[in-house]
C-alpha cells in the first residue's frame, strides 16, 4: 500500500481521483501553493491537482523538481486540461481524474518502480572524469573537482551526451531551465570556469566554432565504444 500526498486547493482530497476509494492506498492532503511546498510530510508519491488551476499545478510541479524532490509526481487533470499540459512541467506521469482503479493502480505502481530504479547510484566515467550522481561530485583522474552546483550540472549534462554538440541556447534551456531569463553569455562564463578547474584537461570541454560546446571523448573511450 502506498501513501499518497495530494496537493490540492480542494478540502476534499478524495474527490481528486474517486476511484482511489476502491484501492488500499492511503491519502494525505497538503496545500498546493508553493509556500507550503518547502516542507512536505512523508509520502511515497505526490498527486498534483490540476483540475481547476493549471497554472498553480504547473508552478507546483516545477517547484518540486527545482527543489529536487525525489518522489514520483503524477499530474491529475480533466480531459479538457490535457491540451495545456507540457513535458517541461516536470511531472512523471499524467492521469485523468475519472480514471478507473486499475489504471490508477498501474500508473502508481510503474511510477514507484521507476523511482526505485532511479535511486540506485549511477556513475559516469569518460575521458578521465568520474561523476557520481548520488553525491553530486566529480573527479578528474581520481582528484576531486571543486565545482559549484551549476558547474556540476553542466559537466554532467555534457558528459551524459558525449561528442554531441549543443548550442548555447540548448544548454541554457536544458541545464538552466526554461524559466531562466539570463543570456547565453552565462553558458560561456560557466564553461570558462569549468575549464579552469579541469586544468590541463580543459580540452574535454570542446568548442565547435559558431555552434557551441561538446564533451570530447579521449582515444581510450573511442576504442572502447568501437
Amino acid at each position: 500500500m502506498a501513501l499518497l500526498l495530494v496537493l490540492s486547493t480542494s478540502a476534499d482530497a478524495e474527490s481528486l481521483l474517486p476511484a482511489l476509494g476502491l484501492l488500499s492506498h492511503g491519502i494525505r492532503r497538503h496545500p498546493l501553493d508553493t509556500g507550503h511546498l518547502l516542507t512536505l510530510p512523508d509520502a511515497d508519491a505526490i498527486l498534483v491537482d490540476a483540475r481547476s488551476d493549471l497554472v498553480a499545478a504547473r508552478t507546483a510541479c516545477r517547484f518540486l523538481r527545482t527543489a529536487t524532490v525525489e518522489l514520483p509526481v503524477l499530474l491529475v487533470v480533466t480531459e479538457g486540461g490535457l491540451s495545456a499540459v507540457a513535458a517541461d512541467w516536470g511531472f512523471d506521469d499524467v492521469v485523468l481524474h475519472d480514471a478507473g482503479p486499475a489504471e490508477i493502480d498501474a500508473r502508481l505502481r510503474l511510477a514507484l518502480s521507476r523511482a526505485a530504479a532511479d535511486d540506485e547510484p549511477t556513475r559516469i566515467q569518460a575521458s578521465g572524469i568520474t561523476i557520481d550522481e548520488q553525491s553530486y561530485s566529480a573527479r578528474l583522474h581520481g582528484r576531486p573537482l571543486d565545482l559549484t552546483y551549476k558547474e556540476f550540472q553542466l559537466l554532467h549534462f555534457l558528459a551524459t551526451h558525449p561528442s554531441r554538440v549543443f548550442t548555447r541556447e540548448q544548454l541554457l534551456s536544458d541545464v538552466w531551465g526554461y524559466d531562466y531569463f539570463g543570456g547565453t553569455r552565462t553558458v560561456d562564463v560557466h564553461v570558462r570556469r569549468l575549464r579552469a578547474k579541469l586544468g590541463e584537461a580543459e580540452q574535454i570541454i570542446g568548442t565547435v566554432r559558431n555552434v557551441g560546446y561538446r564533451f570530447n571523448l579521449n582515444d581510450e573511450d573511442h576504442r572502447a565504444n568501437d
Side-chain angles (χ1 to χ4, degrees):
M1 181 181 76
L3 178 58
L4 309 177
L5 183 62
V6 174
L7 304 183
S8 177
T9 56
S10 172
D12 183 10
E14 286 75 14
S15 68
L16 178 63
L17 286 170
L20 267 178
L22 301 174
L23 301 171
S24 59
H25 303 302
I27 299 175
R28 174 180 289 172
R29 184 188 172 276
H30 195 76
L32 179 63
D33 60 281
T34 54
H36 288 85
L37 300 184
L38 293 172
T39 55
L40 296 174
D42 290 337
D44 297 309
I46 297 175
L47 300 177
V48 177
D49 186 356
R51 292 173 299 170
S52 59
D53 194 337
L54 285 166
V55 174
R58 178 186 63 188
T59 301
C61 288
R62 288 178 171 174
F63 181 87
L64 292 170
R65 285 298 172 248
T66 302
T68 63
V69 173
E70 297 180 356
L71 297 177
V73 175
L74 283 77
L75 189 70
V76 182
V77 298
T78 62
E79 190 162 355
L82 281 175
S83 60
V85 173
D88 67 323
W89 289 22
F91 53 82
D92 295 287
D93 202 354
V94 179
V95 59
L96 287 173
H97 75 103
D98 57 356
E103 179 181 348
I104 295 172
D105 195 55
R107 289 186 182 277
L108 284 170
R109 177 168 43 81
L110 292 171
L112 290 168
S113 63
R114 287 194 297 267
D118 290 342
D119 283 342
E120 298 179 1
T122 303
R123 287 194 174 189
I124 299 167
Q125 291 183 309
S127 298
I129 294 285
T130 301
I131 297 175
D132 189 330
E133 296 178 344
Q134 188 82 354
S135 62
Y136 290 93
S137 63
R139 293 174 175 269
L140 174 62
H141 301 302
R143 174 177 62 86
L145 292 171
D146 183 18
L147 305 179
T148 66
Y149 179 64
K150 197 55 68 177
E151 289 166 354
F152 173 84
Q153 284 188 307
L154 178 60
L155 178 63
H156 177 272
F157 181 80
L158 290 171
T160 53
H161 303 85
S163 300
R164 179 177 168 184
V165 181
F166 291 92
T167 66
R168 292 168 176 81
E169 290 77 11
Q170 287 174 314
L171 290 172
L172 203 61
S173 172
D174 290 325
V175 177
W176 277 262
Y178 291 92
D179 293 334
Y180 182 77
F181 295 105
T184 54
R185 175 170 167 72
T186 298
V187 177
D188 295 329
V189 170
H190 279 76
V191 167
R192 184 168 67 249
R193 291 174 180 170
L194 182 56
R195 282 173 169 163
K197 293 180 179 181
L198 290 172
E200 294 181 357
E202 65 173 13
Q203 73 282 353
I204 290 174
I205 308 299
T207 300
V208 179
R209 195 178 185 88
N210 298 323
V211 182
Y213 300 103
R214 70 182 175 194
F215 185 93
N216 289 324
L217 292 174
N218 60 27
D219 292 340
E220 288 77 10
D221 291 321
H222 278 299
R223 285 195 291 269
N225 292 330
D226 288 341

